[in-house]
Amino acid sequence: MADYEKKEHNAHHVSVGQALKSVTSLKSARESQVDPNGEYIENDVFGNEEGAQIKYRTLGWQFVSFFMIAEIVSNGMLSLPSSLAVVGIVPGVILILFLGIFATYTAVLLIDFKLNHPEVHNMGDAGMLIFGPIGREILSFGTIVFAICAAGSELLSGQQALTVLSNQGLCAVDLVIIFTAASFLLALPRTLDRLSWLGLASFVTIFLAGIVAMIGAGQSAVPGRVLSVSLPGDFYTSFLSITNPVFAYAGHFMFFPLVSEMHTPRDAYKSAYFLQGFATTFYVVFAVVCYCYIGNTVQSPVLFSLNEVWSKASFGIGLANFLVAAGLYSHTAAKLLFIRFFRGSRHLHEHTTWGWVCWVALVLLANIIACIFSIAVPVFSYIIGITAALFASWYTYGIAGFFWLFDAYHQGGGRQAWYRQPIKFGIALFTVLSGAFICVAGIYVSVKLIVVSYQEGLIGKPFTC
């Protein structure tokens, strides 16, 4: 009987030991799927990259901040002084400050959503979770279209800068093509860490370009200039001027791809706070200083209101930012399709011939389309306003409310989770409605602007110098 009990006791220890060994093995297997921040990455868009030839999750929050600033604080900043000339300095400053705070809040909601759903790489993936397959296609299409149009806008800014610097020595079409070629080469690296130092350079140059422009505004001060504290105006004129600060913050559609390539995604909050703190402060100072020196006659972009020397200096310094932003936008458009085609396949993480052929083709296609739009569509600058109203209004403002509503509902216990947090629930609804209002009003003023421009003969012809 004692021998039997001894065998039973030993057998019990063996079974417990095997169980503990199994648990330890399972734990080790799961820990091998953990990122540096301690979160499981088994559902991450890039999966477990241990041993991969091409690793995407390599960015720190500092360089993500520089990328965010490069693509948001760019040519849109140059139109802010003209907005103050239309609505007045007080309403203009209040609007810039409010939109900066609002954009910070929506950025936090977007990062919350990304951390809750590591498989989300872009707005299309988020649309799939919230709205299903139709939402995925609509938001994916919108992201690609807006990224390409934004790249085209940067190409036009680059063309303007090169035209000023060369004293109109080359045809505008040729300058756009030259800038497009540079943008294509810049966008070619498969991972953003290869562009990280260029992101830093872009941040530095747009900051210096703004400083130089403000000094130039002081040197180009208009005698007897008129400054307005507040100006009345009809809805069309007022909202048209408001679109400049509204869309100066429009870049949230790139946050998902950027956060996806961070080695510690939770640090994305630091990037968002750094971006919005810098952007809001710099926007207010830049707009007020330039407007106060030039007055209500300030042009858009403001660099055309400076004398030749300071205009060339500002354009020359800002040229690097325009180029990096164009490359980032075209890179993002190409990567959305590349991830869609090759997610989960070896072509994503290995140096395969097919993977590189497809990647180069997608980057080239994105840049070619942006180039053609910018030189072949006479109303392209107005179309940018329409695409911004259609998509940026949602990506930067409205859709963040849906993110909060979705996660609160599914993770907090249904509708009761909404009612338990009435303030957040109300802000989420306000965010959705704000996006809808900006979308509808933005489309209205953009379409009317095209009509008015045609009537006044301001629309040029395609492929003209």
Side-chain angles (χ1 to χ4, degrees), residues 31-164:
E31 286 179 345
S32 67
Q33 303 271 331
V34 175
D35 68 9
N37 201 34
E39 298 174 348
Y40 291 107
I41 62 172
E42 54 192 15
N43 293 325
D44 184 84
V45 58
F46 297 116
N48 188 347
E49 294 188 314
E50 185 177 355
Q53 295 177 5
I54 302 175
K55 295 182 179 181
Y56 294 87
R57 290 193 303 273
T58 55
L59 289 175
W61 73 267
Q62 296 91 341
F63 285 106
V64 170
S65 301
F66 299 147
F67 280 133
M68 289 179 175
I69 291 173
E71 56 101 9
I72 290 181
V73 186
S74 187
N75 54 6
M77 173 188 75
L78 303 178
S79 299
L80 294 178
S82 64
S83 295
L84 269 58
V86 176
V87 299
I89 191 170
V90 173
V93 169
I94 292 175
L95 181 64
I96 294 172
L97 290 173
F98 170 76
L99 289 172
I101 296 171
F102 193 20
T104 303
Y105 178 75
T106 57
V108 169
L109 293 184
L110 187 151
I111 295 169
D112 288 342
F113 189 81
K114 168 62 182 174
L115 295 180
N116 290 333
H117 307 279
E119 70 275 18
V120 170
H121 174 261
N122 52 67
M123 285 293 178
D125 293 338
M128 180 67 183
L129 283 176
I130 301 177
F131 307 113
I134 296 178
R136 179 185 190 181
E137 301 307 328
I138 292 175
L139 294 184
S140 294
F141 175 78
T143 301
I144 295 172
V145 170
F146 185 67
I148 289 177
C149 286
S153 174
E154 298 293 345
L155 295 180
L156 286 179
S157 295
Q159 174 262 310
Q160 288 178 336
L162 292 174
T163 297
V164 171

Side-chain angles (χ1 to χ4, degrees), residues 186-441:
L186 193 66
L188 271 180
R190 288 259 290 270
T191 58
L192 288 173
D193 65 307
R194 302 285 184 178
L195 303 176
S196 56
W197 290 103
L198 288 175
L200 173 59
S202 176
F203 161 66
V204 172
T205 54
I206 196 61
F207 176 72
L208 291 178
I211 297 296
V212 170
M214 287 187 284
I215 297 173
Q219 295 297 316
S220 309
V222 177
R225 57 191 174 277
V226 176
L227 303 178
S228 302
V229 175
S230 179
L231 287 170
D234 56 26
F235 174 81
Y236 165 71
T237 304
S238 299
F239 193 84
L240 183 61
S241 66
I242 289 173
T243 56
N244 291 327
V246 166
F247 298 133
Y249 291 100
H252 285 28
F253 77 102
M254 282 190 63
F255 283 13
F256 282 148
L258 288 172
V259 177
S260 295
E261 297 198 30
M262 293 182 69
H263 57 67
T264 309
R266 189 164 293 279
D267 284 348
Y269 294 112
K270 299 177 185 177
S271 301
Y273 291 138
F274 184 82
L275 159 71
Q276 301 298 353
F278 172 80
T280 304
T281 303
F282 197 55
Y283 282 171
V284 170
V285 174
F286 180 80
V288 170
V289 170
C290 291
Y291 174 69
C292 287
Y293 277 119
I294 300 174
N296 289 340
T297 59
V298 64
Q299 300 181 55
S300 178
V302 65
L303 302 188
F304 288 132
S305 295
L306 310 182
N307 65 45
E308 183 179 358
V309 173
W310 289 101
S311 178
K312 285 185 175 181
S314 300
F315 267 126
I317 297 172
L319 196 61
N321 174 267
F322 303 152
L323 180 58
V324 172
L328 276 176
Y329 285 132
S330 58
H331 178 101
T332 300
K335 184 164 281 184
L336 188 149
L337 290 172
F338 189 78
I339 298 297
R340 179 77 175 267
F341 295 154
F342 296 118
R343 182 182 298 206
S345 74
R346 68 187 185 92
H347 301 293
L348 190 63
H349 288 102
E350 295 181 17
H351 292 289
T352 64
T353 301
W354 180 238
W356 273 107
V357 167
C358 289
W359 172 250
V360 173
L362 289 172
V363 174
L364 181 62
L365 183 63
N367 279 278
I368 289 176
I369 294 175
C371 178
I372 292 175
F373 278 179
S374 61
I375 62 179
V377 181
V379 294
F380 178 67
S381 59
Y382 304 101
I383 291 177
I384 293 172
I386 294 176
T387 56
L390 272 173
F391 303 114
S393 60
W394 290 107
Y395 295 156
T396 303
Y397 304 106
I399 201 170
F402 285 113
F403 291 160
W404 186 90
L405 293 171
F406 180 86
D407 279 349
Y409 182 90
H410 289 279
Q411 298 179 4
R415 293 182 180 178
Q416 292 302 317
W418 297 347
Y419 306 144
R420 286 194 299 268
Q421 305 174 78
I423 296 178
K424 290 185 177 181
F425 178 61
I427 295 175
L429 291 180
F430 170 78
T431 302
V432 173
L433 294 176
S434 297
F437 171 74
I438 295 172
C439 177
V440 175

